[in-house]
Amino acid sequence: MSALTSTVEGMDTYSNTVDWSTELASQLEWHWDNQLRPRLAGLTDAEYLWEPVPGCWNVRRRGNSSAPISAGTGDYTIDFAWPQPDPPPVTTIAWRLAHVIVGVFGARNASHFGGPPADYRTWDYAPTAAGALAQLDECYSGWIRGVRGLGAAGLARACGPAEPFPEASMAALVLHINREVIHHGAEICLLRDLYRGKHDQGHRDGL
């Protein structure tokens, strides 16, 4: 509620016009700046690649994956399968960050805002937490700049054949991306909490 209050207090309540590009971008920006990105500070490589249960999908050194598909062009690849198993495997922080970097931001930047090509099969996946966070920051910045530049006409236009629902508006896509980042970001933060809890308990048991 404090976030809502601060937003409302900053609004011109006497204006009948709304800058929807700013409103939609600000929703994600506030979450990113005040909640999600600070929670990723100090992410270690051990956390990044930690597998909480057997059979996780992860980002692995090329040749070490047993998944049906191992995608990527660099020294590390991402585990994948198509169609996706039901239930799907548990995924690591590395895997979830890669999904946000490539599937949520990167591919959409390429399709809608002139960003560089980005897809799961050709991405150069980061072997370290620092490398992944640098990719995340770059892709996020490209997305937010693009959303802020859409304007009313841009938000109203159809998002086109790059998306599964081409007739949907760009505004609907922006709302979807906001949900995706909030959702997957919460998963990543929970994995950090579980990692800390597990290893704190291990240290206590070893005393």
Side-chain angles (χ1 to χ4, degrees):
M1 291 299 294
S2 61
L4 176 60
T5 301
S6 63
T7 301
V8 171
E9 287 175 347
M11 291 172 61
D12 178 2
T13 55
Y14 297 97
S15 174
N16 291 323
T17 62
V18 176
D19 181 347
W20 285 110
S21 290
T22 296
E23 292 295 326
L24 292 174
S26 294
Q27 181 189 48
L28 182 57
E29 278 184 321
W30 192 96
H31 177 72
W32 180 270
D33 292 338
N34 295 280
Q35 295 179 335
L36 177 55
R37 193 58 182 85
R39 287 278 276 118
L40 299 179
L43 182 69
T44 66
D45 292 346
E47 292 174 282
Y48 177 65
L49 296 170
W50 177 56
E51 299 190 5
V53 297
C56 282
W57 277 356
N58 206 345
V59 171
R60 307 181 191 278
R61 185 174 291 279
R62 181 173 296 279
N64 289 349
S65 175
S66 59
I69 298 172
S70 55
T73 57
D75 292 336
Y76 278 69
T77 62
I78 192 170
D79 296 336
F80 205 68
W82 191 260
Q84 189 179 82
D86 185 17
V90 174
T91 55
T92 64
I93 290 176
W95 196 100
R96 293 171 197 231
L97 281 174
H99 172 59
V100 175
I101 292 164
V102 181
V104 177
F105 287 141
R108 271 49 185 262
N109 287 342
S111 297
H112 303 291
F113 300 134
D119 63 76
Y120 290 112
R121 291 188 178 276
T122 62
W123 192 257
D124 187 1
Y125 294 96
T128 65
L133 291 178
Q135 291 180 343
L136 180 69
D137 289 342
E138 181 178 0
C139 289
Y140 164 78
S141 295
W143 173 256
I144 284 294
R145 284 195 305 271
V147 172
R148 285 193 170 278
L150 282 171
L155 287 170
R157 74 169 186 259
C159 56
E163 299 298 332
F165 301 97
E167 72 284 355
S169 68
M170 282 296 294
L173 177 63
V174 172
L175 288 168
H176 170 67
I177 296 303
N178 288 1
R179 289 192 298 267
E180 282 281 280
V181 176
I182 293 169
H183 162 65
H184 291 301
E187 293 175 331
I188 292 165
C189 292
L190 177 57
L191 282 171
R192 288 204 79 182
D193 291 340
L194 291 172
Y195 179 91
R196 184 184 66 247
K198 179 179 176 63
H199 287 77
D200 285 352
Q201 181 64 47
H203 292 320
R204 288 193 294 269
D205 292 345
L207 293 178

